[in-house]
């Protein structure tokens, strides 16, 4: 199942720094290093799933550490967002940040190195329109993540240029569960088959790059 919100915003894009990044990057979300790194700037949304959710959706709010710096809210680059999930997902987890707050709480019991989710940033085809982007994102999420039992939030960003700086490539943020969410005895425990090692992440990257045409399809 899928919940989609198309979110046009008539806000001015704030100043941004164009950073070179790979076309697909998957990073585990955990609190390790928070005490020794600045909680401002590019690291501000790296430490909890809740903060990642707020950042992706351009929402002000707080995580278990307190208020999340929210300069990203006014960027005006959010095109669409949604949640892809298994059909039997409980209604309380179908929208909002409850899912991610519970994942953060479970990780906090294990210490700062415990992973609460996986945050993926992947480039989108520059020549496509938002409808095509949405189709690609949802197909990928359902075929390669939800099919394994994960819940996936996604947000499409299309940054605008500033002055003589070209816009960054359109891209999607995907926040995927890393812990059991079903109300069983394993609820909140780490699921070690969900983007938990380099091979699993490499497969996820290959699947994405093939879908958008940056890698050749595998012959049947």
């Amino acid at each position: 199942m899928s919940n989609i919100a198309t979110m046009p915003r008539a806000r001015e894009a704030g100043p941004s720094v164009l950073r070179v990044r790979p076309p697909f990057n998957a990073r585990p979300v955990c609190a390790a290093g928070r005490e020794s790194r600045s909680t401002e700037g590019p690291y501000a949304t790296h430490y909890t799933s809740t903060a990642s959710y707020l950042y992706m959706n351009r929402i002000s709010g707080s995580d278990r550490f307190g208020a999340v710096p929210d300069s990203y809210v006014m960027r005006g680059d959010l095109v669409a967002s949604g949640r892809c999930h298994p059909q039997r997902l409980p209604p309380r987890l179908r929208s909002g940040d409850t899912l991610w707050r519970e994942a953060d709480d479970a990780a906090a019991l294990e210490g700062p190195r415990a992973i609460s989710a996986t945050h993926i940033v992947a480039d989108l085809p520059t020549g496509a329109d938002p409808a095509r982007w949405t189709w690609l994102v949802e197909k990928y999420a359902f075929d390669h993540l939800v099919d394994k039992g994960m819940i996936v939030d996604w947000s499409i960003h299309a940054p605008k240029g500033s002055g003589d700086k070209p816009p960054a490539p359109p891209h999607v943020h995907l926040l995927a569960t890393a812990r059991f969410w079903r109300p069983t005895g394993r609820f909140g425990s780490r699921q070690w088959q969900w983007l938990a090692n380099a091979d699993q992440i490499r497969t996820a990257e290959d699947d994405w790059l093939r879908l958008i045409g940056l890698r050749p399809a595998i012959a049947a």
Side-chain angles (χ1 to χ4, degrees), residues 151-212:
I151 303 167
V152 182
D153 270 10
W154 57 268
S155 296
I156 294 172
H157 295 171
K160 302 172 183 176
S162 177
D164 59 352
K165 294 181 180 178
H171 56 273
V172 61
H173 292 258
L174 300 112
L175 190 63
T177 47
R179 293 176 174 271
F180 289 100
W181 51 265
R182 298 181 190 276
T184 67
R186 295 186 293 181
F187 177 83
S189 298
R190 181 76 162 100
Q191 167 48 284
W192 292 102
Q193 296 179 8
W194 292 350
L195 303 174
N197 58 51
D199 287 340
Q200 293 169 5
I201 291 173
R202 189 176 300 111
T203 297
E205 177 180 8
D206 288 343
D207 291 334
W208 175 257
L209 296 180
R210 277 194 292 269
L211 179 63
I212 66 171

Side-chain angles (χ1 to χ4, degrees), residues 2-217:
S2 172
N3 301 316
I4 303 176
T6 300
M7 307 178 73
R9 299 200 172 187
R11 292 175 172 172
E12 293 297 324
S16 60
V17 176
L18 185 61
R19 295 194 301 272
V20 177
R21 56 175 172 75
F24 184 100
N25 183 51
R27 190 190 60 78
V29 178
C30 71
R34 184 180 181 277
E35 297 303 320
S36 60
R37 285 171 122 174
S38 170
T39 55
E40 301 289 336
Y43 298 115
T45 59
H46 285 193
Y47 303 108
T48 65
S49 297
T50 303
S52 291
Y53 168 84
L54 296 172
Y55 174 85
M56 288 166 48
N57 291 284
R58 302 309 195 218
I59 300 170
S60 296
S62 61
D63 62 7
R64 66 187 180 88
F65 294 112
V68 176
D70 63 359
S71 59
Y72 54 78
V73 172
M74 301 300 292
R75 290 185 184 176
D77 58 354
L78 179 61
V79 174
S81 63
R83 177 167 295 174
C84 297
H85 56 79
Q87 189 169 5
R88 294 185 178 181
L89 185 70
R92 71 182 186 85
L93 299 181
R94 293 185 181 182
S95 62
D97 61 12
T98 299
L99 171 71
W100 306 116
R101 292 187 183 279
E102 290 184 355
D104 288 335
D105 289 344
L109 297 175
E110 299 175 10
R113 294 190 177 277
I115 294 167
S116 60
T118 302
H119 190 154
I120 296 169
V121 183
D123 282 356
L124 290 159
T126 55
D129 61 20
R132 176 66 176 172
W133 290 337
T134 298
W135 183 87
L136 289 169
V137 169
E138 292 221 309
K139 178 171 177 56
Y140 176 80
F142 279 115
D143 289 355
H144 302 290
L145 303 176
V146 176
D147 188 59
K148 295 179 173 65
M150 285 175 263
I151 303 167
V152 182
D153 270 10
W154 57 268
S155 296
I156 294 172
H157 295 171
K160 302 172 183 176
S162 177
D164 59 352
K165 294 181 180 178
H171 56 273
V172 61
H173 292 258
L174 300 112
L175 190 63
T177 47
R179 293 176 174 271
F180 289 100
W181 51 265
R182 298 181 190 276
T184 67
R186 295 186 293 181
F187 177 83
S189 298
R190 181 76 162 100
Q191 167 48 284
W192 292 102
Q193 296 179 8
W194 292 350
L195 303 174
N197 58 51
D199 287 340
Q200 293 169 5
I201 291 173
R202 189 176 300 111
T203 297
E205 177 180 8
D206 288 343
D207 291 334
W208 175 257
L209 296 180
R210 277 194 292 269
L211 179 63
I212 66 171
L214 289 182
R215 286 192 182 161

